């Protein structure tokens, strides 16, 4: 018996499900890249990305994935020999740190492990030490996609300020942008990094670096910047091609324009609220499964959990078995356990991740939870019963008149 032959659900934390409207917007012949609609669309996208990031600053758009934007953010703010403090709450800040290291930046990791958010008190104490004086930038993720921990960005900014430190504050919002609240200017982030294939519901291939005033100043002080990644011409293009240092990502731009239309039609606050409710429904289900088993959310404190992805510990090899069952038998693809192989955490096989970012609604999340529940039953894996009901209660309560 196999029940996977309908429309599949991709519940991995990026790429996320692409709306039909976005796909249809991309289903066009190659446009004129010298004049006409594409030019207008490109500038409207820059303006709307800044609106979504809540910044008066600039955005540079790159043809590349999140790693490209990681690199772009670094080459425009730091020079070889500069020092950066990287706040790690999982796997992704370490990836960013690795790129910084390869660019010659002297990196120090402030490691909070893989099961909680960063502690602003620890950050403040580190920045108060005399040897912190030379640190030029503090890097962190808003949401770490491996652990599903979400950092309190305003609290980390406040810690930098409380220490009287003038480091630039660079935030990786790749997993959270368009899913979780973010207010770049009000929160005092100097740089925000994002990409299009998660909350922005567009096929992977475009990424973004937002820069505020202090970051723009930092760029001016650099002797040499990689010409392709240099954000200066992208921020103030004299000719259209400078927006992308060459041919624009034509079809991505049409797709992204539509995705942004969908976000603003729904309302940004409403998009955030939808993610919050759907995440709560996932957590309610995991709580029920955990009642008679070792299943648990990787992040114990709900206040520190992402509203875009949930990492679940299932124990032994149960994560891998459940993922295989859901995909092969039922048409649901879950995320693999990623990079949490330290002694204190189960190996990847014991984990699975539920991506709940972007284009999803009540039936997509109830379908995901119900399918996982069926998988636990079919595989004979211990779990508390009634998870789907708990999730439906969360949704009913949120929508109660
Ligand atoms: C997905 C992700 C990345 C990497 O993005 P790619 O497009 O795969 O290069 C970086 N940081 C975070 C937080 C992510 O979720």
């Amino acid at each position: 018996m196999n029940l996977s032959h309908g429309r599949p659900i991709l519940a991995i934390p990026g790429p996320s499900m692409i709306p039909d409207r976005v796909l249809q917007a991309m289903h066009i012949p190659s446009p004129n890249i010298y004049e006409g609609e594409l030019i207008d669309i490109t500038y409207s996208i820059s303006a709307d990305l800044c609106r979504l990031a809540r910044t008066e600053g600039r955005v540079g758009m790159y043809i590349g994935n999140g790693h490209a934007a990681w690199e772009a953010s670094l080459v425009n703010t730091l020079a070889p020999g500069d020092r950066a403090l990287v706040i790690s709450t999982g796997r992704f800040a370490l990836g960013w740190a690795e790129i910084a290291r390869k660019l010659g930046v002297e990196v120090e990791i402030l490691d909070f492990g893989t099961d909680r958010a960063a502690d602003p008190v620890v950050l403040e104490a580190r920045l108060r030490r005399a040897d912190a004086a030379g640190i030029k930038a503090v890097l962190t993720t808003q949401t770490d996609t491996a652990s599903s921990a979400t950092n309190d960005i305003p609290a980390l900014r406040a810690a930098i300020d409380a220490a009287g430190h003038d480091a630039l504050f660079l935030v990786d919002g790749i997993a959270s942008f368009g899913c979780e609240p973010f207010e770049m200017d009000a929160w005092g982030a100097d740089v925000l990094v994002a990409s299009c294939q998660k909350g922005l519901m567009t096929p992977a291939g475009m990424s973004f670096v937002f820069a505020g005033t202090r970051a723009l100043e930092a760029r001016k002080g650099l002797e040499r910047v990689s010409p392709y990644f240099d954000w200066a011409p992208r921020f103030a293009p004299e000719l259209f091609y400078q927006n992308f240092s060459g041919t624009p990502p034509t079809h991505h731009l049409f797709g992204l324009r539509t995705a942004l239309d969908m976000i603003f039609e729904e309302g940004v606050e409403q998009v955030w609220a939808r993610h919050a409710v759907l995440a709560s429904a996932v957590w309610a289900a995991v709580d029920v499964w955990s009642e008679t088993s070792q299943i648990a959310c990787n992040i114990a404190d709900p206040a520190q959990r992402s509203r875009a992805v949930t990492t679940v510990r299932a124990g032994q090899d149960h994560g891998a078995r459940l993922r295989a069952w859901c995909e092969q038998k039922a048409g649901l693809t879950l995320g693999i356990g990623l990079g949490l192989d330290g002694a204190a955490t189960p190996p990847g096989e014991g984990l699975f991740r539920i991506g709940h970012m972007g284009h999803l609604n009540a039936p997509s999340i109830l379908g995901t939870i119900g399918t996982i529940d069926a998988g636990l039953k079919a595989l004979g894996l211990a779990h508390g019963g009634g998870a789907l009901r708990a999730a439906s209660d969360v949704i009913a309560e949120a929508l109660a008149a």
Side-chain angles (χ1 to χ4, degrees):
M1 186 61 204
N2 190 297
L3 297 175
S4 68
H5 295 268
R7 172 169 267 221
I9 288 194
L10 184 69
I12 67 176
S16 65
M17 287 201 285
I18 305 169
D20 289 355
R21 239 178 105 182
V22 170
L23 290 171
Q24 281 152 11
M26 298 177 77
H27 199 105
I28 50 167
S30 275
N32 186 347
I33 60 166
Y34 304 109
E35 57 191 16
E37 193 185 3
L38 184 79
I39 314 305
D40 301 339
I41 279 185
T42 300
Y43 291 114
S44 77
I45 286 173
S46 302
D48 279 345
L49 286 170
C50 288
R51 198 170 142 215
L52 188 56
R54 306 238 157 130
T55 182
E56 303 280 314
R58 314 305 298 261
V59 64
M61 299 190 276
Y62 292 86
I63 300 178
N65 56 17
H67 282 68
W70 266 349
E71 189 159 335
S73 68
L74 296 168
V75 300
N76 281 286
T77 51
L78 298 169
D82 282 344
R83 286 170 62 198
L85 181 66
V86 177
I87 301 168
S88 174
T89 56
R91 180 60 225 143
F92 282 79
L94 298 176
W96 201 6
E98 197 46 38
I99 294 176
R101 225 176 243 131
K102 287 178 178 165
L103 289 168
V105 174
E106 201 183 300
V107 172
E108 175 183 334
I109 309 285
L110 199 56
D111 195 348
F112 291 91
T114 58
D115 61 359
R116 66 202 165 105
D119 183 348
V121 174
V122 174
L123 175 63
E124 183 184 336
R126 174 64 193 92
L127 291 177
R128 276 182 183 279
R129 276 170 36 194
D131 65 347
I135 293 172
K136 196 170 165 204
V138 172
L139 276 57
T140 196
T141 50
Q142 182 177 24
T143 282
D144 183 284
T145 320
S147 68
S148 71
T150 289
N151 286 319
D152 184 339
I153 298 300
L156 295 174
R157 171 82 249 175
I160 299 171
D161 294 342
H165 204 287
D166 66 353
L168 291 170
F169 189 31
L170 280 62
V171 179
D172 170 352
I174 295 174
S176 46
F177 191 59
C179 306
E180 313 195 50
F182 194 84
E183 309 213 16
M184 180 164 164
D185 292 356
W187 291 4
D190 296 304
V191 170
L192 169 68
V193 176
S195 73
C196 72
Q197 80 273 24
K198 302 195 184 185
L200 295 181
M201 308 178 287
T202 304
M206 278 186 77
S207 55
F208 317 104
V209 181
F210 300 81
T213 321
R214 296 184 64 232
L216 295 173
E217 280 307 308
R219 157 72 187 78
K220 286 185 195 146
L222 297 177
E223 218 171 281
R224 188 177 293 117
V225 176
S226 142
Y228 185 78
F229 283 114
D230 191 355
W231 68 30
R234 293 171 192 255
F235 287 165
E238 283 162 23
L239 295 166
F240 180 74
Y241 85 90
Q242 291 174 316
N243 282 286
F244 294 100
S245 199
T247 306
T250 50
H251 289 64
H252 272 78
L253 290 165
F254 282 92
L256 183 58
R257 180 60 268 163
T258 298
L260 288 166
D261 287 345
M262 291 174 70
I263 288 172
F264 288 110
E265 282 164 20
E266 182 180 351
V268 176
E269 264 93 8
Q270 161 59 34
V271 170
W272 295 342
R274 172 167 54 81
H275 280 84
V277 171
L278 297 177
S280 297
V282 168
W283 306 338
V286 177
D287 283 349
V288 171
W289 289 325
S290 75
E291 281 165 11
T292 57
S293 75
Q294 52 190 329
I295 296 172
C297 284
N298 180 53
I299 305 299
D301 179 354
Q304 301 184 351
R305 288 180 192 157
S306 167
R307 278 144 287 183
V309 52
T310 297
T311 302
V312 182
R313 297 157 176 260
Q316 298 162 52
D317 60 352
H318 294 180
R321 286 173 62 198
L322 187 66
R323 279 193 295 102
W325 186 93
C326 285
E327 182 157 56
Q328 289 157 19
K329 299 282 190 182
L332 168 69
T333 305
L334 296 168
I336 60 169
L338 207 64
L340 305 186
D341 291 336
T345 52
E349 298 245 303
L351 300 170
F352 66 93
R353 291 176 302 159
I354 303 172
H356 35 90
M357 48 177 59
H359 188 56
L360 74 171
N361 56 15
S364 23
I365 218 71
L366 291 171
T368 295
I369 291 163
T371 303
I372 294 170
D373 197 68
L376 292 167
K377 274 184 208 146
L379 292 169
L381 303 178
H383 65 287
L388 189 54
R389 183 187 182 139
S392 122
D393 285 349
V394 169
I395 283 164
E397 196 184 320
L399 295 177

